[in-house]
Structures are given as structure tokens and as C-alpha cells.
Amino acid sequence: MASIAHENQKLIVEQQWAIGKFSFYTNVVVSELAEGIHATKDKLEEPIQYAQQIYNSKTPVIYISHRLNSYSFDPVAYGEIVAMFPNLIGFAIVSTNRYRRMLASLEKLFIKRPISVFYDLEEAFIWAEKLIGTHIPTSPLR
């Protein structure tokens, strides 16, 4: 994953788990889940707990799913994940694949946060920064 640094979004750390690679920025988490994985709440628990250690409970955070690989996701888990990470204020999906973009439209039914679909990571970061700008800025680190 290429590091994208915006005026307000600096890369803090990148972590690799069996489920995929996660990049933690000032207010944004970008994931690239592994090919063929079936993502569940249990498999995402470790990256979520890691994010909870990085961000304080008042820091607004956007999750960007950079869908370079083909994988499946349990949509019922969205509610549980949002409950685990209440300062998650938005969700972005980045994909050029037509099928994955269509599935993203269905995911909107399960995510009770602002959600948008983009063709590239740069567009998702621009959207994220606008959404973050509507929230009171806080220190990103504990």
C-alpha cells in the first residue's frame, strides 16, 4: 500500500495480520484484506483492539476498505464492530471492480454511519477529511 500523506493525515504505523494489512493515520484506518479471507468480527478483533490503543475514545476515525483482493465479509458483524469502536464516524470502500462496487451498495444497509464508494484511495481520503472536519478535532493519540 502506498503511503498517502495529506495535510491532516499522517501515517502513524502499518501492521500486518493474517487477515490483512492495516495502515493507521491520524484519523483514518486503511485496510487491505487478504485474498480469499472470510472477514468476521472475531478475525477483525485484533486490528480493532490495536486501533483502540492508538486512538482515544473522542478521536473521530474513518475506516477505508481498500479492496484490492477478493474476499467475503459477514455483514451482520458491522453492528458489532461499530459497537466496539463507537468513534468510527464513517466508512469508505475503494474498488475499481464493478462487482465489488455493487456489493458495497448492499453493505450500506448494514452500516449505520456515513458510507461512500470510491475508485481510488485519494478520493476516499479527501472525503474522509471533509467528514472529519465536521467533527470537533481532538488529539489522535492516547
Side-chain angles (χ1 to χ4, degrees):
M1 173 184 324
S3 292
I4 294 181
H6 292 269
E7 184 177 324
N8 298 318
Q9 298 302 316
K10 305 297 181 209
L11 181 63
I12 297 168
V13 65
E14 288 185 334
Q15 286 284 59
Q16 182 74 43
W17 286 282
I19 194 165
K21 183 177 180 179
F22 290 76
S23 300
F24 298 88
Y25 293 82
T26 309
N27 296 90
V28 175
V29 177
V30 179
S31 72
E32 289 181 5
L33 296 187
E35 181 71 35
I37 196 98
H38 178 64
T40 63
K41 178 186 127 323
D42 291 342
K43 289 180 182 174
L44 288 166
E45 200 162 321
E46 194 172 17
I48 291 168
Q49 289 174 349
Y50 192 84
Q52 289 169 329
Q53 293 172 16
I54 291 175
Y55 305 108
N56 69 45
S57 62
K58 294 185 172 131
T59 302
V61 177
I62 305 290
Y63 178 80
I64 299 175
S65 176
H66 194 194
R67 299 190 176 173
L68 298 173
N69 298 314
S70 180
Y71 59 88
S72 61
F73 187 82
D74 176 8
V76 176
Y78 281 124
E80 296 170 328
I81 291 169
V82 169
M84 289 174 67
F85 208 78
N87 49 324
L88 179 70
I89 63 165
F91 187 89
I93 296 167
V94 177
S95 180
T96 57
N97 180 284
R98 183 176 166 213
Y99 176 71
R100 288 187 208 132
R101 291 176 64 82
M102 287 182 350
L103 285 178
S105 298
L106 295 174
E107 291 177 59
K108 290 180 181 185
L109 301 172
F110 296 95
I111 300 172
K112 304 303 182 204
R113 297 288 190 271
I115 181 171
S116 286
V117 181
F118 302 96
Y119 283 100
D120 65 50
L121 205 49
E122 182 70 24
E123 290 176 312
F125 265 89
I126 291 167
W127 174 82
E129 288 183 354
K130 286 178 184 173
L131 188 57
I132 291 162
T134 66
H135 289 75
I136 298 169
T138 59
S139 174
L141 305 177
R142 288 195 174 273

